């Protein structure tokens, strides 16, 4: 399966060269834009994403490695309205390291509990949960509310550990003066989820599995830098952009993982201890929250 962690304006394919797996992120041409403008925007966004990834890698941030950039890839045939002829428009391709594992969203939701009208049917709960995970439309909090059930996010040692690693990872990225632009749990992956490590050892002893989970250290990777940017490109470091990055992550937790306030607090605690200018960013975050609440109240 190909992880669906890229933006709508691009497509992805996987390939294997020798022993290294890779993903090709293709930004295809848009027919509604002028050809010259479309080519400029597409190439600029591809180069910007590659630069942000390289900059993060140099700063020690865990993200996919950039293997190659092709701004002159074979494009699509688009029919122009003026003469009705089919003309090939070039697309841009970004070849990235293939990250194996699961997203943080999948990890948290696989450990969440569902409470509601069907609490007595404990035997059917794993099947129902698997069906919700397989269908993104059915696992949203809105759908759960319509079914008369509520999702409760499990808060334990491992969940808090993952939250702390998220905060540390974001702090390292901001220390490198890079903003992500789309921080959600779907854009963070765990290379070594606990389930996979247990399956590889083929252990049937429950005590051994519990000990493995106790010693588990999550290896997180940030993905999808399609909306990323370099802070200070126009002069000066913007705490506002960093604060907006954190606010987007907060809202994604609220909407996707109900009852995860403790995880958000742990993320901010890690961010405060790891980020070089965390005090200024967190002060600005409070202002961004106030603006967000006003927008929700008054539209």
């Amino acid at each position: 399966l190909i992880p669906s962690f890229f933006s709508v304006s691009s497509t992805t394919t996987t390939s294997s060269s020798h022993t290294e797996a890779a993903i090709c992120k293709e930004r295809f041409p848009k027919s509604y834009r002028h050809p010259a403008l479309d080519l400029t925007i597409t190439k600029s966004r591809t180069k910007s994403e590659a630069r942000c990834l390289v900059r993060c890698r140099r700063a020690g941030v865990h993200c996919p490695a950039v293997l190659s950039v092709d701004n002159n890839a074979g494009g699509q045939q688009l029919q122009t309205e003026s003469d009705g002829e089919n003309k090939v428009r070039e697309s841009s391709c970004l070849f990235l390291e293939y990250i194996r594992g699961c997203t943080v969203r999948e990890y948290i939701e696989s450990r969440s509990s569902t409470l509601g009208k069907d609490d007595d049917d404990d035997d059917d709960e794993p099947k129902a949960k698997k069906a919700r995970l397989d269908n993104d439309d059915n696992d949203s909090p809105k759908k759960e509310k319509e079914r008369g059930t509520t999702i409760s996010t499990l808060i334990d040692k491992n969940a808090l550990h993952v939250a702390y690693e998220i905060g540390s990872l974001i702090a390292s990225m901001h220390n490198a003066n890079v903003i992500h632009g789309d921080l959600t749990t779907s854009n963070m992956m765990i290379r070594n989820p606990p389930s996979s490590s247990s399956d590889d050892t083929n252990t049937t002893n429950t005590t051994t599995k519990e000990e493995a989970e106790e010693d588990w250290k999550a290896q997180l990777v940030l993905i999808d830098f399609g909306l990323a940017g370099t802070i200070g490109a126009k002069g000066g470091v913007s705490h506002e952009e960093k604060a907006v990055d954190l606010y987007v992550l907060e809202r994604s937790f609220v909407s996707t993982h109900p009852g995860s306030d403790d995880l958000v607090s742990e993320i901010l605690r890690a961010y405060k201890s790891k980020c070089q200018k965390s005090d200024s960013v967190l002060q600005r975050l409070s202002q961004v929250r106030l603006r967000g609440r006003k927008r929700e109240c008054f539209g």
Side-chain angles (χ1 to χ4, degrees):
L1 294 177
I2 301 174
S4 56
F5 49 72
F6 288 111
S7 59
V8 179
S9 61
S10 63
T11 56
T12 61
T13 55
T14 56
S15 63
S16 179
S17 176
H18 302 289
T19 60
E20 186 177 11
I23 274 190
C24 173
K25 177 177 181 179
E26 179 184 8
R27 283 185 168 89
F28 45 82
K30 303 297 179 58
S31 59
Y32 57 83
R33 286 198 295 230
H34 187 278
L37 177 62
D38 178 66
L39 186 62
T40 301
I41 293 176
T42 301
K43 289 186 176 181
S44 175
R45 289 179 178 174
T46 302
K47 290 179 181 178
S48 176
E49 182 174 359
R51 288 194 188 103
C52 291
L53 285 167
V54 171
R55 187 166 188 170
C56 286
R57 295 276 296 187
R58 288 176 178 172
V61 182
H62 298 294
C63 61
V66 178
L67 304 179
S68 178
V69 179
D70 186 3
N71 269 328
N72 297 311
Q76 300 178 350
Q77 286 191 353
L78 301 177
Q79 186 174 2
T80 59
E81 296 181 358
S82 57
D83 51 12
E85 296 180 357
N86 291 330
K87 296 184 179 179
V88 177
R89 297 264 293 275
E90 293 180 350
S91 60
S92 295
C93 292
L94 183 62
F95 297 89
L96 303 172
E97 172 192 4
Y98 182 80
I99 305 298
R100 304 183 186 278
C102 71
T103 64
V104 173
R105 176 179 178 176
E106 291 172 344
Y107 171 74
I108 295 177
E109 288 183 343
S110 66
R111 307 171 75 249
S112 300
S113 58
T114 305
L115 303 174
K117 298 179 180 179
D118 301 329
D119 288 343
D120 296 331
D121 301 330
D122 294 335
D123 295 335
D124 297 335
E125 185 176 352
K127 296 180 180 179
K129 185 181 294 184
K130 183 178 184 301
R132 288 194 300 273
L133 292 176
D134 292 339
N135 190 343
D136 290 340
D137 293 335
N138 292 333
D139 71 358
S140 63
K142 183 177 179 181
K143 293 293 184 181
E144 293 292 342
K145 186 175 181 180
E146 291 175 357
R147 289 198 295 265
T149 61
T150 57
I151 300 177
S152 176
T153 302
L154 177 63
I155 308 294
D156 60 358
K157 179 181 177 181
N158 284 343
L160 292 174
H161 164 65
V162 171
Y164 190 89
E165 292 299 320
I166 291 174
S168 301
L169 191 61
I170 297 172
S172 300
M173 180 184 64
H174 284 179
N175 287 337
N177 281 337
V178 175
I179 56 169
H180 188 275
D182 190 20
L183 284 177
T184 65
T185 51
S186 297
N187 288 334
M188 304 171 189
M189 294 196 68
I190 303 177
R191 287 184 184 268
N192 59 334
S195 58
S196 62
S197 60
S198 300
D199 294 340
D200 294 340
T201 54
N202 293 325
T203 56
T204 56
N205 192 341
T206 306
T207 305
T208 306
K209 291 181 179 180
E210 291 178 354
E211 291 177 354
E213 290 186 0
E214 282 289 328
D215 300 332
W216 175 65
K217 301 296 181 183
Q219 299 175 9
L220 267 62
V221 182
L222 272 176
I223 59 174
D224 194 2
F225 281 69
L227 299 178
T230 304
I231 301 175
K234 297 182 180 179
V237 177
S238 173
H239 301 311
E240 173 80 12
E241 292 177 291
K242 294 181 181 180
V244 171
D245 237 9
L246 294 176
Y247 182 72
V248 170
L249 181 63
E250 276 189 349
R251 299 306 302 171
S252 71
F253 266 91
V254 170
S255 61
T256 311
H257 310 291
S260 58
D261 295 342
D262 292 339
L263 297 182
V264 175
S265 300
E266 188 71 7
I267 291 173
L268 296 179
R269 185 176 76 87
Y271 184 87
K272 182 174 179 136
S273 63
K274 301 290 184 180
C275 186
Q276 297 173 354
K277 298 181 179 180
S278 59
D279 292 338
S280 300
V281 175
L282 294 178
Q283 287 179 5
R284 187 57 64 92
L285 175 60
S286 300
Q287 301 175 13
V288 173
R289 285 173 181 153
L290 291 176
R291 294 202 301 268
R293 292 194 184 111
K294 289 180 180 178
R295 186 168 56 250
E296 290 173 1
C297 294
F298 302 107

